[in-house]
Amino acid sequence: MAMRLHNTMSGRVEEFKPIEVGHVRMYTCGPTVHDYAHIGNFRTFLFEDLLRRILLQQGYRVTQVMNLTDVEDRIIKKAAEHGQTIDEFTEKYIEAFFEDLDTLRIERAEHYPRATEHIFEMVSLIDLLNEKGHTYVTDGSTYFRIATFPRYGELAHLDHAGLKAGARVDVDDYGKDDPRDFVLWKARKPGEQSWETPLGIGRPGWHIECSAMSMKYLGESFDIHTGGVDNIFPHHENEIAQSEAATGKPFVRYWMHAQHLQDAVGEKMSKRLKNFTTLRDLVAEGYQPRAIRYALLTGAHYRSPVAFSPELLRAADNAIKRLDEFAVRLGPMPPHPDPPPQGGREIEGTPPTDVRKRWDDALRDDLNLPAAVGHLFEFIKTFNTRLESGKATLDERAAAMAMLRHANRILDVVEFPEVVDAEVERLIAERQAARDRRDFARADEIRQQLLRMGIQLDDTKDGTRWKRLPPPSPSRRGGGN
Ligand code: AMP
Ligand code: ZN
């Protein structure tokens, strides 16, 4: 089954085909580093982690870019209040952001460009828009003239009448010819940090950074652009207008957006409404980071809103406990990151025999993690019964463990039991006893079992020695398509 993704542009789930075979280039709108990110932000960043991990597991190479918005009204205001430069002020929150990513086990993107380090690229892009007649200047600020880009509104599915009605007029932007027009370059106001450029002294508007940085690192046309649904309009709509007006090429093939994390009464969690919780608050309250990760990832499909509550965290805690227990019941196994790429081994006589396929198919179907997790738990329930009846063979246990590791490559919440030295010593003694009574079949079985646990034996004249084998390298990543 091919990978299918929901594209906000078409409003449909479409088959996914990257521009370059086997390589996905994607851009994810990052945090505005004026404060700690809240767990609503992290719902979106976790959706992007999910997408990234699934693409990797499908065999794609991924180049992901996430910007850090480090110049914008609130940052400038707060930095000035603290008597700091933008860099001095944002440093602490950038550091905190990366710490939070690690706490939530969010895989790192390939690039984290900062807006303040790409002023030149933004100015060049605005210059190109000037040359092509898409801009005008009022009081030293440069605006994008929406009327020059007829496709404006296609992503948000707004007609032009609706656009006018829905447009938010930025209080900063008195000089616009049309309320829909947006600012590319803002003239300096007294006391504000600014840059001296051919466009005049000032600073970039917010939207231009994502066009400039995505195209710098990913090319003028790339595969996937993501964000939360609040980014669709006007931010992503404006990105399309700026980028396509400048290059004359299609900007992005698939637009994907995560629905919001809400508070207990169904309001979007946001800084503005002050109804937000940070990761740090939750950890200080004693919640385990992996339960928070699990809750935000699996609480609902990424395209459905989800309300954040203590019950959601408790359910996540219970689910993780069941996964940990299952790993313990299966016993120590070799550190095997993935079953063989093609299908894996089926678990005979243990329905559902096709859990791996169900898991993969659900994820390929627009990242349906809640469904995939449903299949996983159904399997665990059935296999636990088999374990209790004593019928599960060693091979079946190994296959079940491979499945759990496969799922955990996405979930990243399970704690696997380590092979402890005492267990190894016990098995070596048992093997010796088997050899002493000339039961070589049993002795060999134990050697094989230890090998599967990643332990190699060496029979010397001074007795049996053992060593841990290095974990096998992950399965070769071919070009998935
Ligand atoms: P910001 O730091 O405000 O620029 O937001 C960073 C990311 O978090 C953006 O992709 C937003 O769409 C996303 N976001 C903001 N609030 C929420 C929320 N309550 N739930 C999910 N995503 C959100
Ligand atoms: Zn952006």
Side-chain angles (χ1 to χ4, degrees):
M1 181 179 147
M3 180 114 178
R4 289 151 45 86
L5 300 174
H6 182 268
N7 189 350
T8 307
M9 184 59 92
S10 65
R12 285 198 305 272
V13 176
E14 299 176 19
E15 187 171 323
F16 175 67
K17 276 208 178 89
I19 297 167
E20 187 188 323
V21 176
H23 180 198
V24 181
R25 286 170 291 157
M26 69 180 206
Y27 187 84
T28 49
C29 284
T32 308
V33 286
H34 66 98
D35 204 340
Y36 297 108
H38 60 68
I39 53 169
N41 302 133
F42 283 114
R43 184 189 190 202
T44 292
F45 301 142
L46 277 163
F47 142 69
E48 289 150 354
D49 184 57
L50 173 67
L51 173 61
R52 176 189 171 86
R53 286 172 186 253
I54 293 172
L55 289 167
L56 287 170
Q57 199 168 54
Q58 292 298 309
Y60 291 107
R61 177 159 87 83
V62 173
T63 305
Q64 181 188 357
V65 178
M66 178 180 273
N67 66 304
L68 302 175
T69 299
D70 62 352
V71 49
E72 133 324 331
D73 292 338
R74 285 166 297 183
I75 292 175
I76 289 173
K77 190 162 160 265
K78 287 189 183 179
E81 281 165 13
H82 288 77
Q84 289 176 313
T85 63
I86 286 181
D87 277 355
E88 287 163 355
F89 175 74
T90 56
E91 191 182 278
K92 168 176 160 192
Y93 297 113
I94 291 176
E95 215 168 275
F97 176 66
F98 285 110
E99 281 170 17
D100 288 355
L101 289 186
D102 288 347
T103 304
L104 285 173
R105 301 187 187 178
I106 294 177
E107 275 189 6
R108 292 290 167 95
E110 279 62 33
H111 305 278
Y112 290 96
R114 296 181 191 196
T116 50
E117 290 171 3
H118 294 78
I119 303 290
F120 171 80
E121 286 81 354
M122 295 186 230
V123 170
S124 306
L125 192 58
I126 298 170
D127 251 347
L128 196 57
L129 292 169
N130 284 340
E131 271 169 38
K132 295 195 172 184
H134 292 285
T135 63
Y136 59 91
V137 178
T138 305
D139 296 336
S141 292
T142 306
Y143 296 89
F144 187 96
R145 193 186 294 282
I146 295 289
T148 65
F149 191 73
R151 297 211 301 110
Y152 194 82
E154 274 187 6
L155 181 70
H157 304 282
L158 297 174
D159 58 25
H160 281 256
L163 259 177
K164 267 201 171 118
R168 229 186 20 193
V169 182
D170 189 334
V171 283
D172 279 354
D173 302 339
Y174 306 111
K176 295 197 285 192
D177 288 358
D178 180 327
R180 300 171 307 157
D181 293 343
F182 59 93
V183 70
L184 296 165
W185 185 261
K186 293 188 176 189
R188 187 179 101 102
K189 283 193 250 158
E192 281 187 356
Q193 189 166 334
S194 54
W195 285 263
E196 210 176 320
T197 75
L199 299 170
I201 300 176
R203 62 188 172 91
W206 170 40
H207 309 294
I208 194 73
E209 71 177 77
C210 286
S211 288
M213 296 194 282
S214 62
M215 293 198 288
K216 171 169 177 177
Y217 293 94
L218 299 172
E220 290 175 344
S221 300
F222 57 93
D223 302 301
I224 303 178
H225 194 314
T226 67
V229 286
D230 57 300
N231 288 150
I232 297 173
F233 186 82
H235 184 48
H236 290 166
E237 201 67 64
N238 291 353
E239 277 190 48
I240 295 171
Q242 297 158 162
S243 309
E244 298 196 351
T247 67
K249 292 180 189 153
F251 178 44
V252 166
R253 186 61 191 84
Y254 303 87
W255 287 92
M256 296 180 71
H257 296 97
Q259 264 292 351
H260 284 144
L261 184 70
Q262 303 172 335
D263 64 11
V265 296
E267 287 277 7
K268 175 195 170 192
M269 190 176 277
S270 76
K271 290 268 160 61
R272 196 172 51 81
L273 295 174
K274 297 197 168 52
N275 61 346
F276 65 90
T277 310
T278 66
L279 179 61
R280 282 144 200 266
D281 296 338
L282 289 176
V283 172
E285 280 174 45
Y287 290 105
Q288 334 178 54
R290 54 189 187 135
I292 304 166
R293 173 180 170 88
Y294 189 93
L296 293 175
L297 266 179
T298 67
H301 184 261
Y302 79 89
R303 279 196 292 123
S304 302
V306 63
F308 191 72
S309 66
E311 292 76 52
L312 188 70
L313 282 175
R314 259 201 298 280
D317 228 20
N318 283 333
I320 291 174
K321 228 176 256 149
R322 285 179 62 199
L323 294 172
D324 281 355
E325 276 167 16
F326 189 56
V328 169
R329 288 179 136 202
L330 293 174
M333 294 271 173
H336 195 59
D338 246 344
Q342 293 307 323
R345 195 170 355 183
E346 294 202 340
I347 300 168
E348 274 171 44
T350 313
T353 55
D354 53 356
V355 55
R356 157 112 191 218
K357 184 174 181 313
R358 289 190 195 195
W359 169 274
D360 286 345
D361 282 352
L363 294 186
R364 281 191 283 253
D365 182 15
D366 194 27
L367 326 184
N368 196 345
L369 186 61
V373 165
H375 298 314
L376 179 67
F377 276 105
E378 199 184 314
F379 163 71
I380 288 175
K381 198 169 143 207
T382 317
F383 201 81
N384 270 333
T385 312
R386 191 164 173 81
L387 283 168
E388 276 154 26
S389 72
K391 284 192 197 134
T393 64
L394 208 64
D395 268 3
E396 286 175 359
R397 281 175 44 208
M401 182 57 105
M403 178 59 219
L404 187 61
R405 289 202 185 268
H406 182 68
N408 198 52
R409 177 68 196 84
I410 303 295
L411 293 171
D412 207 350
V413 293
V414 183
E415 267 171 19
F416 290 93
E418 279 198 26
V419 183
V420 290
D421 292 6
E423 169 79 353
V424 177
E425 299 294 351
R426 190 188 64 71
L427 283 165
I428 289 177
E430 195 186 324
R431 173 170 169 267
Q432 194 51 48
R435 293 170 96 197
D436 290 348
R437 61 172 193 271
R438 307 189 66 75
D439 184 353
F440 296 115
R442 176 67 190 140
D444 198 51
E445 204 176 278
I446 294 170
R447 172 191 281 277
Q448 294 300 327
Q449 181 180 351
L450 281 162
L451 254 184
R452 274 190 292 258
M453 288 159 57
I455 304 294
Q456 192 173 51
L457 300 185
D458 184 15
D459 292 315
T460 71
K461 62 177 171 35
D462 301 325
T464 302
R465 302 228 166 104
W466 62 273
K467 67 170 187 206
R468 277 175 217 278
L469 294 170
S473 54
S475 55
R476 196 182 60 82
R477 304 237 176 261
N481 213 358

